[in-house]
Amino acid sequence: MKSEILLSFNIVLPIMAALAAFINSRSLSHIAITIISILLIINNGLILVNNNYSTLVLANILDNYQLSLTAEPFAIIFALMVSIQYCLTNLYSFAYLEAQEKANLGQDLHPK
């Protein structure tokens, strides 16, 4: 049961990060997204360490088919690499946008 909860976090955490982007305060939004992306890395690491090939069934279709997530080792390694890249990309983009605002690079160079 624990592994199914960890697998469900791989769906819930990115949705929470997307919703955190709509927070009015930019600094609070950046902090929330960074924390969520770090939690996603930790979650994927825990799934990799505690892997018992658990399956999370999302939906049953026509009694014969299932939409499910299974914790396979190579898939979890790939998910861990992607979540690390997601966190680093967020940190880079936040710093880039902040530097762009400070340098006023968003101004039109050729006003009409």
Side-chain angles (χ1 to χ4, degrees), residues 15-36 94:
I15 293 171
M16 288 175 54
L19 293 175
F22 292 109
I23 296 174
N24 287 336
S25 171
R26 181 177 290 174
S27 62
L28 183 60
S29 173
H30 291 179
I31 291 170
I33 291 171
T34 304
I35 289 172
I36 291 170
F94 296 153

Side-chain angles (χ1 to χ4, degrees), residues 28-46:
L28 183 60
S29 173
H30 291 179
I31 291 170
I33 291 171
T34 304
I35 289 172
I36 291 170
S37 62
I38 291 170
L39 288 175
L40 192 59
I41 293 171
I42 293 169
N43 182 53
N44 285 326
L46 288 174

Side-chain angles (χ1 to χ4, degrees), residues 5 12 20 41 47 64 67 71-72 88 95 109:
I5 293 172
V12 173
I41 293 171
I47 292 172
N64 294 332
L67 179 62
E72 297 175 354
L88 294 175
L109 297 177

Side-chain angles (χ1 to χ4, degrees), residues 45-64:
L46 288 174
I47 292 172
L48 186 62
V49 169
N50 298 324
N51 191 10
N52 57 359
Y53 295 95
S54 61
T55 300
L56 174 66
V57 177
L58 300 173
N60 288 319
I61 305 169
L62 301 174
D63 295 333
N64 294 332

Side-chain angles (χ1 to χ4, degrees), residues 40-42 44-45 48 75-85:
L40 192 59
I41 293 171
I42 293 169
N44 285 326
L48 186 62
I76 297 302
I77 290 171
F78 183 74
L80 183 62
M81 290 188 318
V82 168
S83 60
I84 291 170
Q85 183 181 12

